[in-house]
Amino acid sequence: MRTDHDSGPPGPDDAHDLRHHGDAEVRDDGAALTDLAVNVRADTPPAWLRERIAESLAGTGLAAYPDGRAARAAVAARHGLPVERVLLTAGAAEAFVLLARALKVRRPVVVHPQFTEPEAALRDAGHSVDRVLLCASDGFRLDPGAVPDDADLVVIGNPTNPTSVLHPAGLLCELARPGRTLVVDEAFMDAVPDEREALAGRSDVPGLVVLRSLTKTWGLAGLRIGYVLAAPETISMLERAQPLWPVSTPALAAAEACMSAFALAEAASAARRGAADRDHLVAGLREFAPDGLVLAEPAEGPFVLVRLPRAARVRHHLRDLGFAVRRGDTFPGLDEEWLRLAVRDRVTVNRFLQALDRAVTLAGR
C-alpha cells in the first residue's frame, strides 16, 4: 500500500483514463454483445417499477416542476434518519461533483483501485489529489494507517468497484476524525446480502458522508437517481451547489418506489440470488488457475476482478465470441492484465466460461 501524489487535471502523462467506464464496452459495435462490462442488474427495471415511473408522467407530471419532498422523506425513513440528513441527486456521480465543488479541502485523498469519478471530479474542480493505492498482494485490503493524517477528505468505496472488496465498517470508522470528511461510496451495498458493513443510517461517525445509487440494483442508469446521507450542515452545503430541480419527476417517483417495503424485500432477494450466481462464477473462474488466472478474493459485490496473462488479447477475443468485459487498466493501481466481470445468471455465466476457455486458448497462440 502506498501514497501517490497527482495534481491538477489529468494530462497526457496520466496512465489512467479516469473517464472510461464499462458502458463504453457496449456502445456502437458492442451493443449486440452479452454484457459483463456494466454492473447493472440484468432484467431491470422490473415491470412494477416501470409502471410507477410511467404513472409519474400522467396528468401534469411533466408540466409541473419536480417536488422531491415525498421521495426525500421515503429515503430518510428507509435509513431511520431525519430528512435534513438526505439529499437526492442525479445519480451518485452528481454527488461526487457536488462534493468536489462545495467542500473547502486542502488535501483530498482517494483510495484506489476504485470508481474513478471521485478523483476526476476533484481534479476538474482544481484540487490536487493524493492516491492511496491498495495492493493485490494484500487482497486490496485497507490499512487505515496508510491514509495521511492530514488528509481532510478521504474517499473510499464499499464494496469497492472494481475489486469487490467489502471493508469492515469498523475499519472504515477508523478513518473518521474531527476536521475530516469521510466519503463512503455504497453504490453497490444493496447488492450485499443483509447490507453487511453498511454505514448508511449512522449519525455517530464524525464527518461521514455516505453515497447511495439506485441505478445498479434497479436498472435505472438512464434515469439518474441516487442520494447522499450526511450531517445537515453538509447536506445544506451540497444543496447550495446543486442546480435548481436537479432530479426529474420520473426519477423522484422511482426513488420513492424503491424505498417501499416491497422493493426492499425484492432487493434483498436479488442480493441473495446474486451472491449465489457470483459464487458460481468464481468457482468456474478458479478452473483457469493453470492458465495463470488469479481472482481477487473474497468477492462481495456483483462483480469480480481477475488478473490474467495477455488479458487485453483475451478481452478482444471475447468480443469476437460475443462477450463484453471491463478492462482494468483505467483504474489507478491496476494494469492491462486486469479484467472486471459483472455477475450474471448461471446460464449466461456458463456460456461465458466456455467463451473464456476459447479466448484464453486463442490469446496464447
Side-chain angles (χ1 to χ4, degrees):
M1 189 179 307
R2 68 181 192 272
T3 302
D4 288 353
H5 182 74
D6 298 88
S7 63
D13 59 338
D14 192 291
H16 304 281
D17 180 0
L18 301 181
R19 294 296 189 186
H20 180 91
H21 300 295
D23 61 317
E25 309 284 353
V26 290
R27 291 178 184 159
D28 302 326
D29 63 338
L33 300 177
T34 298
D35 179 11
L36 275 73
V38 177
N39 293 323
V40 172
R41 182 162 65 100
D43 301 321
T44 53
W48 64 265
L49 182 53
R50 292 198 302 270
E51 290 171 4
R52 285 291 298 273
I53 294 170
E55 289 170 4
S56 74
L57 307 179
T60 60
L62 291 184
Y65 285 98
D67 183 349
R69 289 176 296 177
R72 188 180 185 186
V75 171
R78 181 255 196 271
H79 292 289
L81 295 171
V83 294
E84 293 79 13
R85 296 186 71 96
V86 175
L87 180 68
L88 302 175
T89 59
E94 188 205 8
F96 292 123
V97 174
L98 296 177
L99 288 163
R101 294 178 178 176
L103 297 183
K104 308 303 180 185
V105 295
R106 300 178 308 279
R107 190 178 184 186
V109 170
V110 180
V111 180
H112 285 290
Q114 79 147 355
F115 184 50
T116 53
E117 278 302 313
E119 179 172 328
L122 286 163
R123 288 180 176 224
D124 287 346
H127 295 283
S128 297
V129 181
D130 283 347
R131 295 171 177 171
V132 171
L133 301 179
L134 307 184
C135 297
S137 59
D138 299 326
F140 298 108
R141 296 288 154 178
L142 172 68
D143 173 10
V147 176
D149 289 338
D150 62 346
D152 54 358
L153 172 65
V154 178
V155 184
I156 187 168
N158 203 39
T160 304
N161 169 21
T163 65
S164 208
V165 168
L166 183 66
H167 300 290
L171 199 65
L172 294 178
C173 289
E174 291 183 27
L175 294 173
R177 61 192 61 186
R180 172 183 288 177
T181 300
L182 171 61
V183 178
V184 181
D185 177 9
E186 292 189 349
F188 294 99
M189 187 60 78
D190 57 358
V192 176
D194 302 320
E195 296 197 359
R196 304 187 327 277
E197 314 302 343
L199 290 175
R202 295 279 295 271
S203 57
D204 60 326
V205 182
L208 177 65
V209 176
V210 174
L211 308 185
R212 286 285 182 111
S213 170
L214 298 177
T215 64
K216 316 301 184 185
T217 286
W218 297 111
L220 298 174
L223 198 59
R224 311 309 305 141
I225 179 65
Y227 54 90
V228 181
L229 306 174
E233 57 270 22
T234 301
I235 294 297
S236 295
M237 188 183 308
L238 298 178
E239 194 168 20
R240 289 194 296 271
Q242 267 188 320
L244 291 174
W245 309 292
V247 181
S248 70
T249 295
L252 293 170
E256 185 176 0
C258 291
M259 297 301 113
S260 69
F262 174 81
L264 294 177
E266 180 173 321
S269 177
R272 291 190 293 271
R273 290 195 308 272
D277 290 339
R278 183 188 62 239
D279 291 345
H280 180 66
L281 172 60
V282 166
L285 291 170
R286 286 181 181 144
E287 298 298 318
F288 290 86
D291 300 296
L293 185 145
V294 177
L295 276 157
E297 294 193 80
E300 300 282 2
F303 44 85
V304 298
L305 182 68
V306 301
R307 186 174 63 203
L308 186 64
R310 300 176 294 277
R313 294 176 62 184
V314 170
R315 183 170 66 89
H316 288 298
H317 286 305
L318 282 170
R319 292 183 71 84
D320 293 338
L321 295 167
F323 290 87
V325 299
R326 172 67 157 89
R327 56 189 278 204
D329 61 313
T330 63
F331 293 99
L334 302 182
D335 58 29
E336 64 179 9
E337 288 199 336
W338 293 92
L339 300 172
R340 190 194 69 194
L341 314 173
V343 172
R344 298 292 184 245
D345 63 272
R346 292 193 176 206
V347 172
T348 301
V349 165
N350 289 341
R351 290 175 44 238
F352 167 73
L353 292 171
Q354 291 175 344
L356 179 61
D357 186 42
R358 178 63 176 159
V360 168
T361 299
L362 291 171
R365 289 180 177 173

